[in-house]
Amino acid sequence: MIKSELTRRGLLKTGAVAGAGLALPTIFTARANAFTNEPKADTVTFGFTVPQTGPYADEGADELKAFTLAVKHLNGEGDGGMLSSFSSKALNGAGILGKKVAFVSGDTQTKPDAARAAAKSMIEKDGAIMISGCSSSAVAIALQALCQEAGLINMVGLSHSNDTTGKDKKRNGFRHFFNAYMSAAALAPVLKTMYGSDRAAYHLTADYSWGWTQQASMQAATEALGWKTVANVLTPLAATDFSSYIAPVLSSGADVLVLNHYGANMVNSLTQAVQFGLRDKMVNGKQFEIVVPLISELMAKGAGANIKGIPGSSNWNWKLTDAGTKAFVQSYGKEYGAPPSQAAQTCYAQVLLYADAVARAKSFNPCAVVEALEGYKFDGLGNGPTEYRAADHQCIKDCLVVKGKETPDNQFDTLEIVQVTPASEVTYAPDNKMFAGGDLGQCNPGA
Amino acid sequence: MDALILQTLNGLDKGSAYALIALGLTIIFGTLGVVNFAHGTLFMLGAFCAVTLQRIIGISETIIDPTKKDFLGNPLKVEVPYLQAWFGHDTAAAITNWSVPLSLLLTVPVMVGIGVVMERGLIKHFYKRSHADQILVTFGLAIVLQEVIKHFFGANPIPTPAPAEFAGSIDFGTMLGFPPNAIVYPYWRMIYFLFSLFVIGGVFAFLQFTTFGMVVRAGMADRETVGLLGINIDRRFTFMFGLAAVVAGTAGAMYTPINSPNFHMGMDFLVLSFVVVVVGGMGSLPGAVLSGFLLGILESYASMNWIKDIIPGIDQIIIYVIAIVVLLTRPRGLMGRKGVMED
């Protein structure tokens, strides 16, 4: 028979010794690492957080394809894609600083809390050194804050809210994608040419960070043209039926509907607006028009014939003819049988830009990467000459005004490029009031 | 006034979907005593029957057109539907155009099959278990089924247009003396409302005027006594499960032009439909229908701008507020029966 001699004092002593023992490796590890998840082995892991469900799942699927392709190219597999056109030659297709690149991915569900949980798991369990990807600015802002706290670099995916590099900007976060202000600045002159300066606009707006800033930017830009704003109605991100929001539009006196919606939200709201016959109506003696400030090829595909003739803006389009775009479209098209979307291009570019910054800095230390990216000027990634502005970590570059193509030549021919608006016409001061209130803070290497 | 009429019309199509799903839920609960959390999934499966037919119609052979180039600069691959090759362009175009209404021919047998398999294969084992067990197993089944759909069809909404003849909208306002564009309502939503009235009327007529329906109603009221009369009430109840699945499935198939279907659409409707059933009164078929339309219309009213200016966000919670008010003032719901879901 075994007799237990366990006493309260004995239990406390044993617990204290065991606790100290368990804590020791962590302390040693923390001291041994100069920064969070410093890669020790011959592999470095990236964490890709993309929406695989929810209203932006289409973009998420394309982002993951682009990430996979970028990792392949970094590791010297495939045709190298935009590595050949990229102005920097620090990457040679042999991984980064001699380490092979691996990645883990997780579903953000287009929800900030789910995205944080996925990214946290990647950081703590998988040892991710960098987090990238998202299709929602609410998610982007949450991930940027998480990476700032954890001491990682966040290469923001598809995020278009002014706040991402405005009031919510972080030193450890970098955005390649353009923003709502730039969209409105590019789109407004084209809208004036298409529809004149005497218009009354009704806004339907996704009720979160991106929608708010997109609407504010469009309202400011169109009112500067002479347009009036009749109403701005906020719609929930999770909404699928917009009929009760669309029904009052025609009787409101508005002759333009601005859909500040993205992804499946926009596909549904545009489809339902067309069902209500908005585009067939004459209001105030003018043809009723619909504007979608941010359009992607994937949304155009989802909207089908309803997108024809609808103007909007894009960060990039596969029909551009520069060397970077050509290389990327060839590479992506051969791999997946379809041209890449703007979500794919921005995510691919972000991975290359991060890897290049590490290679130039000769370190994975986030603060060295920040230093390498701030004020960095580059070309050859599909958007023409671009600068990662040091003051707010926003890429300043050309952006596109596009329109749903009336007579598509094939299933991928959904959008036509109306004009490439030069960076000089869409740039703004970092302290512009639409971006006010934020502070990059200090770089955090973590650990 | 015109805004009220407009939102009433708007509420009718939402209410139609709520009423059809709640009707099926109530049939299953009233006959089998099962709280079926997979019912929204049946709505979704019906919608995907329409998508499946669209895909079948679109099955194509690939022909290389050397005169055109694709985006990679290779000779363009042109997809020519077999339907077009077999029946000519006009017939193929007509079938494609009418694919949603035609999908009912596929939806009905498929949903009967799914309903019977679901009831015989799984749910019958839970008749005598607690409602908590039933909810867990049917909710689990719902998740499994939607993941299966996600695997085969992806996570994104799939455009499923109505026939071109029903594209656009009718200007009711001018008929009622209002200025043009005051009350505009899409044709297909009107069709959906009429379709729901037809299905609801059919189900009620079936239960009211057929011997089978009479036995089912008797079984719903007193299952034991009907069994003692030598009637195999279980078999009839299995049929009713299949009927409920058909009602939900056809509701889903016809809903696809209103909202592009995705794997999650069943869950979007499920919670609302349970609220509809509870507000209408557990086990009451007229209650489910009345409550479905009522809540659909009130939800539309709540999304009017001037109401949202007074109570921001009311459009998101109105259904639950009404549920609370109804349950506080009429604990059995609007038309609930004594003894149902009560100890």
Side-chain angles (χ1 to χ4, degrees):
Chain A
M1 185 180 163
I2 299 167
K3 190 181 174 189
S4 171
E5 294 289 345
L6 190 65
T7 62
R8 189 177 66 88
R9 188 179 296 270
L11 184 67
L12 287 171
K13 278 181 184 171
T14 312
V17 170
L22 286 170
L24 269 174
T26 313
I27 296 164
F28 285 139
T29 309
R31 281 184 182 161
N33 279 345
F35 51 89
T36 300
N37 292 338
E38 182 181 0
K40 302 281 189 192
D42 55 0
T43 301
V44 62
T45 305
F46 292 168
F48 298 137
T49 47
V50 297
Q52 288 159 2
T53 51
Y56 301 157
D58 253 344
E59 275 72 13
D62 236 36
E63 286 182 9
L64 195 53
K65 286 178 185 171
F67 281 135
T68 308
L69 193 63
V71 168
K72 268 187 170 184
H73 292 167
L74 289 176
N75 288 330
E77 299 163 35
D79 61 9
M82 283 203 262
L83 283 178
S84 59
S85 57
F86 191 15
S87 54
S88 171
K89 299 299 171 196
L91 297 167
N92 57 9
I96 310 172
L97 300 183
K99 293 183 191 296
K100 189 176 163 68
V101 182
F103 72 89
V104 288
S105 65
D107 183 9
T108 67
Q109 300 171 29
T110 323
K111 293 174 185 165
D113 51 348
R116 278 182 72 96
K120 223 164 172 286
S121 167
M122 290 172 186
I123 297 166
E124 291 171 359
K125 291 184 184 162
D126 303 310
I129 185 80
M130 179 273 280
I131 299 292
S132 185
C134 67
S135 283
S136 150
S137 292
V139 168
I141 290 165
L143 289 178
Q144 204 169 233
L146 176 75
C147 289
Q148 181 71 37
E149 288 163 21
L152 265 79
I153 292 292
N154 180 219
M155 300 300 281
V156 175
L158 193 157
S159 166
H160 191 243
S161 168
N162 293 341
D163 292 346
T164 310
T165 45
K167 74 178 180 60
D168 295 308
K169 58 182 172 273
K170 297 282 182 248
R171 183 69 65 180
N172 285 34
F174 289 85
R175 171 164 65 180
H176 173 266
F177 205 68
F178 71 151
N179 59 43
Y181 178 93
M182 295 161 92
S183 273
L187 197 51
V190 178
L191 292 180
K192 186 178 180 182
T193 309
M194 290 172 76
Y195 307 137
S197 52
D198 180 24
R199 284 281 184 169
Y202 191 107
H203 291 251
L204 287 184
T205 303
D207 190 8
Y208 75 104
S209 173
W210 170 69
W212 305 329
T213 64
Q214 179 65 83
Q215 193 279 331
S217 302
M218 282 302 291
Q219 182 170 341
T222 52
E223 285 183 354
L225 299 178
W227 290 24
K228 293 182 202 69
T229 303
V230 174
N232 174 36
V233 176
L234 300 176
T235 61
L237 181 60
T240 54
D241 185 3
F242 293 89
S243 56
S244 50
Y245 302 107
I246 290 167
V249 172
L250 276 176
S251 55
S252 68
D255 46 42
V256 176
L257 173 63
V258 182
L259 290 175
N260 299 302
H261 287 154
Y262 194 71
N265 272 181
M266 175 269 177
V267 171
N268 286 326
S269 62
L270 177 63
T271 303
Q272 288 160 22
V274 173
Q275 273 176 10
F276 270 82
L278 262 58
R279 299 189 74 188
D280 307 327
K281 304 291 177 192
M282 295 292 287
V283 180
N284 306 330
K286 305 177 194 88
Q287 180 71 42
F288 193 97
E289 302 291 353
I290 298 176
V291 176
V292 179
L294 179 61
I295 294 187
S296 77
E297 307 82 344
L298 300 169
M299 286 155 62
K301 185 181 163 199
N306 297 326
I307 198 72
K308 288 180 181 180
I310 303 259
S313 68
S314 284
N315 183 61
W316 174 86
N317 188 281
W318 64 271
K319 289 180 186 168
L320 287 167
T321 52
D322 60 283
T325 296
K326 281 181 178 170
F328 184 49
V329 171
Q330 280 292 326
S331 186
Y332 187 99
K334 279 180 193 157
E335 191 82 13
Y336 303 115
S341 65
Q342 61 174 353
Q345 185 261 351
T346 205
C347 287
Y348 181 92
Q350 283 286 67
V351 173
L352 257 53
L353 284 164
Y354 171 81
D356 173 70
V358 170
R360 285 186 291 113
K362 296 185 174 52
S363 170
F364 285 97
N365 188 319
C367 293
V369 176
V370 167
E371 209 173 300
L373 281 173
E374 282 184 342
Y376 181 54
K377 291 179 181 170
F378 58 93
D379 199 354
L381 294 184
N383 300 97
T386 305
E387 179 184 359
Y388 244 130
R389 193 158 66 176
D392 56 3
H393 293 190
Q394 170 68 54
C395 267
I396 302 296
K397 57 189 182 337
D398 301 348
C399 52
L400 311 180
V401 175
V402 295
K403 195 170 76 164
K405 193 158 183 191
E406 298 281 0
T407 48
D409 289 334
N410 57 63
Q411 57 170 321
F412 306 120
D413 188 24
T414 52
L415 297 174
E416 62 178 294
I417 299 169
V418 177
Q419 72 171 39
V420 178
T421 307
S424 58
E425 289 179 27
V426 296
T427 194
Y428 53 90
D431 61 351
N432 181 297
K433 65 177 181 178
M434 288 206 182
F435 298 81
D439 179 16
L440 282 173
Q442 295 300 312
C443 164
N444 177 20
Chain B
M1 186 61 194
D2 54 336
L4 268 183
I5 297 172
L6 184 62
Q7 293 298 358
T8 305
L9 286 171
N10 233 338
L12 287 179
D13 57 70
K14 261 186 210 168
S16 302
Y18 294 160
L20 287 171
I21 300 174
L23 182 68
L25 267 175
T26 307
I27 288 172
I28 292 172
F29 181 73
T31 52
L32 304 170
V34 171
V35 182
N36 182 20
F37 260 65
H39 204 69
T41 306
L42 295 174
F43 180 76
M44 179 269 289
L45 289 175
F48 275 89
C49 284
V51 174
T52 304
L53 184 69
Q54 191 187 46
R55 296 258 166 107
I56 292 170
I57 289 171
I59 293 175
S60 307
E61 60 177 327
T62 306
I63 293 170
I64 305 287
D65 183 350
T67 62
K68 291 181 182 168
K69 302 280 182 201
D70 69 5
F71 70 98
L72 291 173
N74 302 320
L76 186 67
K77 290 177 184 167
V78 182
E79 302 287 324
V80 179
Y82 285 110
L83 211 60
Q84 188 176 317
W86 295 337
F87 301 110
H89 180 268
D90 291 349
T91 310
I95 292 172
T96 307
N97 184 34
W98 285 83
S99 71
V100 170
L102 285 174
S103 72
L104 293 180
L105 299 174
L106 175 70
T107 307
V108 172
V110 167
M111 295 313 295
V112 168
I114 289 173
V116 170
V117 168
M118 193 190 277
E119 197 271 339
R120 289 288 91 187
L122 183 70
I123 290 177
K124 77 167 185 179
H125 303 294
F126 288 82
Y127 286 161
K128 290 178 183 164
R129 304 276 283 270
S130 67
H131 285 310
D133 286 356
Q134 293 171 356
I135 289 170
L136 278 175
V137 75
T138 52
F139 193 67
L141 179 65
I143 291 171
V144 169
L145 288 174
Q146 75 171 27
E147 289 302 313
V148 169
I149 291 295
K150 184 178 159 192
H151 176 77
F152 286 106
F153 292 91
N156 307 310
I158 301 166
T160 320
E165 288 77 0
F166 297 112
S169 55
I170 182 168
D171 194 340
F172 272 119
T174 48
M175 294 179 194
L176 301 171
F178 290 101
N181 301 331
I183 305 170
V184 171
Y185 195 62
Y187 288 114
W188 187 258
R189 287 174 188 255
M190 207 161 56
I191 296 284
Y192 192 73
F193 171 60
L194 295 174
F195 169 78
S196 75
L197 290 186
F198 175 75
V199 172
I200 291 164
V203 170
F204 275 87
F206 175 72
L207 289 172
Q208 202 65 35
F209 303 121
T210 64
T211 310
F212 190 100
M214 188 182 71
V215 173
V216 169
R217 280 190 293 124
M220 286 169 78
D222 190 342
R223 184 188 185 120
E224 272 186 31
T225 307
V226 173
L228 288 172
L229 292 171
I231 296 169
N232 186 348
I233 194 69
D234 284 351
R235 185 171 294 170
R236 284 171 168 79
F237 282 178
T238 301
F239 175 85
M240 291 308 289
F241 194 101
L243 178 69
V246 169
V247 170
T250 52
M254 291 289 278
Y255 197 73
T256 52
I258 294 176
N259 241 342
S260 301
N262 67 73
F263 77 101
H264 201 261
M265 69 188 294
M267 287 294 182
D268 298 339
F269 276 92
L270 179 73
V271 177
L272 290 174
S273 300
F274 264 98
V275 174
V276 168
V277 170
V278 171
V279 169
M282 293 296 287
S284 167
L285 295 177
V289 174
L290 173 72
S291 158
F293 283 112
L294 187 70
L295 292 181
I297 291 168
L298 289 175
E299 196 183 11
S300 275
Y301 287 164
S303 58
M304 290 163 77
N305 293 344
W306 66 270
I307 293 183
K308 286 198 295 182
D309 289 342
I310 300 169
I311 314 171
I314 185 66
D315 53 329
Q316 297 302 300
I317 57 166
I318 181 74
I319 284 189
Y320 305 103
V321 171
I322 291 165
I324 291 167
V325 171
V326 168
L327 290 177
L328 281 174
T329 52
R330 293 181 65 90
R332 290 193 190 109
L334 294 174
M335 299 178 79
R337 290 179 298 152
K338 191 176 178 184
V340 179
M341 283 287 271
E342 290 174 1
D343 293 325

